[in-house]
């Protein structure tokens, strides 16, 4: 805990530490360099069975390299990579092939074969695997129904919308019943309405099949919509990870705060312009409250408990992963130091984060 601001210091947590079930994916201190550049720099990450993990980062953060290390297309310089309980570091190409079939992948630009029908595109992994035609036909019909394209098996990719093409890509990725689905910027080329439908489909598939999904994206909205946890990759390092609601409520790393800026209330520019550092007669605080505390009459309780007067300047309460998350900007009377200190202590006991932004300069 930072004693000055009341915020939590940066921290990452391994969600599988207290779990008896082995994770579907485990990376331990993975490093990959290209020349003098470290694309991955000591990355450790675990994904539980049936979990959706959002991996987010700006372009060049290392997301593509991480994917290629997961499917064996790149070999890390050091560290361990395990998929479905098996270490893949050091495996030859022949040994990697059956393991890759345990990893389904969907892409930003769909990667469908234009000369093949929808049904043939979906059946391709099964044909490569050597399954008989009757088994392929039955599996394709099952998958077309699952993704809502039961009547499109005979169509060609050029006859489909972008959302329909991505549904075909999802069906193809599921054909071989993978243990892990990698979604690599799968909604980046789609309009917002279609994006929502694809994310909803992925969540439905996750629940119905208990399928583990790694959602690689630069869109925090996609993570918020369906992910259970989020990990933030910056300059080849995991700088923050945790439940989506927690990260959205109290982002700890500077990169996370920047990526989340559009999703969090901010003080109006006119008020920011009047703030100066330190504490004065009227101090402005940012207070983050989560869960039941976000629904409590905080200002009334503050006045009753310590006699301090505070005004709500800006902010509101949202819901993330079913939890109420509030970001409130308060103006607190700071003339009485004892009362001010008692008010800060009261707020810190009830809030996830309390930050003094400065004090208001009165108009002349």
């Amino acid at each position: 805990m930072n004693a000055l601001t009341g915020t939590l210091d940066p921290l990452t947590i391994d969600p599988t530490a207290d779990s008896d079930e082995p994770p579907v994916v485990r990376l331990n201190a993975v490093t990959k360099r290209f020349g003098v550049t470290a694309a991955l720099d000591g990355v450790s990450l675990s994904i539980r069975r049936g979990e959706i993990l959002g991996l987010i980062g700006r372009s060049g953060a290392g997301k593509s390299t991480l994917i290629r290390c997961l499917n064996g297309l790149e070999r890390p310089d050091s560290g361990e990579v395990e998929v479905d309980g098996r270490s893949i570091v050091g495996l030859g190409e022949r040994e990697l092939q059956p393991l890759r079939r345990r990893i389904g992948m969907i892409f930003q630009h769909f990667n469908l074969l234009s000369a093949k029908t929808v049904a043939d595109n979906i059946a391709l992994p099964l044909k490569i695997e050597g399954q008989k035609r009757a088994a392929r036909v039955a599996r394709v019909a099952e998958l077309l129904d699952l993704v809502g394209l039961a009547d499109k098996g005979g169509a060609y990719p050029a006859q489909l919308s972008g959302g329909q093409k991505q549904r075909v890509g999802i069906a193809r990725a599921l054909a071989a019943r993978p243990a892990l689905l990698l979604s690599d910027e799968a909604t980046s080329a789609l309009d917002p309405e279609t994006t929502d439908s694809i994310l909803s489909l992925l969540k439905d598939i996750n629940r119905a099949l208990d399928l583990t999904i790694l959602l690689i994206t630069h869109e925090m909205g996609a993570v918020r919509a369906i992910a259970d946890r989020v990990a933030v990759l910056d300059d080849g390092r995991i700088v923050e990870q945790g439940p989506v609601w927690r990260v959205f409520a109290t982002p700890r790393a500077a990169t996370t705060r920047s990526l989340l800026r559009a999703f969090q209330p901010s003080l109006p520019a006119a008020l920011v312009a009047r703030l100066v550092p330190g504490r004065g007669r009227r101090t402005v605080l940012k207070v983050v409250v989560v869960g039941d505390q976000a629904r409590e009459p905080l200002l009334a309780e503050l006045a009753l408990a310590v006699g301090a007067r505070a005004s709500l300047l800006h902010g509101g309460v949202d819901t993330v992963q079913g939890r109420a998350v509030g970001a409130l900007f308060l103006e607190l009377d700071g003339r009485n130091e004892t009362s001010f200190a008692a008010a800060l202590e009261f707020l810190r006991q009830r809030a996830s984060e309390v930050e003094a932004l400065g004090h208001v300069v009165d108009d002349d």
Side-chain angles (χ1 to χ4, degrees):
M1 177 74 74
N2 187 309
L4 294 177
T5 65
T7 60
L8 292 169
D9 295 320
L11 175 68
T12 58
I13 300 170
D14 182 357
T16 64
D18 297 324
S19 175
D20 293 332
E21 185 177 11
V24 172
V25 171
R26 188 179 75 88
L27 287 80
N28 182 36
V30 172
T31 296
K32 178 64 181 179
R33 292 184 174 275
F34 297 98
V36 296
T37 303
L40 297 176
D41 188 4
V43 169
S44 295
L45 188 67
S46 296
I47 312 176
R48 296 184 295 255
R49 190 169 305 280
E51 179 180 36
I52 301 179
L53 174 72
L55 179 68
I56 191 161
R58 301 184 181 95
S59 297
K63 301 188 301 294
S64 296
T65 302
L66 188 147
I67 293 171
R68 292 175 66 83
C69 286
L70 270 179
N71 59 24
L73 294 176
E74 293 284 358
R75 297 181 184 275
D77 298 323
S78 62
E80 287 295 323
V81 179
E82 293 180 4
V83 178
D84 206 18
R86 185 177 184 186
S87 174
I88 69 171
V89 176
L91 294 183
E93 188 62 29
R94 179 173 293 182
E95 295 170 302
L96 280 170
Q97 286 179 5
L99 186 136
R100 285 182 182 139
R101 287 196 287 271
R102 301 289 291 153
I103 304 174
M105 192 156 181
I106 53 177
F107 306 89
Q108 179 179 0
H109 297 296
F110 322 126
N111 289 16
L112 302 179
L113 299 176
S114 59
K116 290 187 176 293
T117 66
V118 164
D120 287 341
N121 267 279
I122 296 171
L124 187 59
L126 304 175
K127 190 173 184 179
I128 293 171
E129 197 177 80
Q131 289 196 19
K132 295 184 182 298
R133 175 176 170 76
R136 298 200 305 266
V137 169
R139 179 63 174 157
V140 167
E142 178 185 337
L143 290 166
L144 283 170
D145 187 59
L146 179 67
V147 301
L149 296 176
D151 60 340
K152 297 294 185 182
Y156 287 85
Q159 299 171 302
L160 304 179
S161 68
Q164 289 172 329
K165 289 177 184 177
Q166 195 56 281
R167 288 171 181 266
V168 176
I170 292 170
R172 181 184 57 189
L174 297 175
R177 294 180 170 86
L180 172 67
L181 179 64
L182 299 180
S183 172
D184 185 13
E185 301 283 5
T187 59
S188 296
L190 304 175
D191 62 75
E193 185 177 357
T194 306
T195 291
D196 289 345
S197 71
I198 293 299
L199 291 174
S200 179
L201 174 62
L202 289 175
K203 187 64 177 178
D204 289 344
I205 288 169
N206 161 255
R207 289 170 174 164
L209 306 180
D210 196 30
L211 180 65
T212 305
I213 299 176
L214 177 56
L215 185 72
I216 301 102
T217 182
H218 66 276
E219 300 174 315
M220 289 301 283
V223 170
R224 172 178 168 149
I226 67 168
D228 301 303
R229 282 192 306 122
V230 59
V232 183
L233 190 64
D234 184 42
D235 200 23
R237 299 180 180 180
I238 300 291
V239 295
E240 182 164 7
Q241 61 176 303
V244 170
W245 68 267
R246 200 278 297 159
V247 173
F248 269 72
T250 55
R252 301 168 184 179
T255 300
T256 316
R257 292 195 294 270
S258 177
L259 291 168
L260 278 172
R261 190 170 291 123
F263 293 87
Q264 295 192 310
S266 58
L267 204 57
L271 248 177
V272 172
R274 295 171 56 198
L275 290 180
V276 297
R279 183 172 67 82
R281 188 169 65 85
R282 295 156 60 201
T283 300
V284 176
L285 305 174
K286 179 183 178 182
V287 179
V288 177
V289 283
V290 179
D292 292 341
Q293 292 298 337
R295 305 296 186 188
E296 295 297 321
L298 186 65
L299 300 190
E301 290 180 351
L302 174 64
L304 286 172
V306 299
R309 299 180 62 184
S311 302
L312 177 62
L313 300 176
H314 190 63
V317 178
D318 200 355
T319 301
V320 181
Q321 284 188 324
R323 288 176 169 86
V325 175
L328 310 175
F329 295 89
L330 307 180
E331 182 182 286
L332 184 63
D333 189 335
R335 287 174 291 185
N336 185 310
E337 289 197 11
T338 302
S339 175
F340 182 83
L344 277 185
E345 181 61 25
F346 176 90
L347 291 171
R348 285 173 178 161
Q349 288 177 1
R350 286 158 177 78
S352 298
E353 177 183 324
V354 178
E355 180 182 1
L357 301 179
H359 66 270
V360 178
V361 176
D362 292 321
D363 296 325
D364 294 332

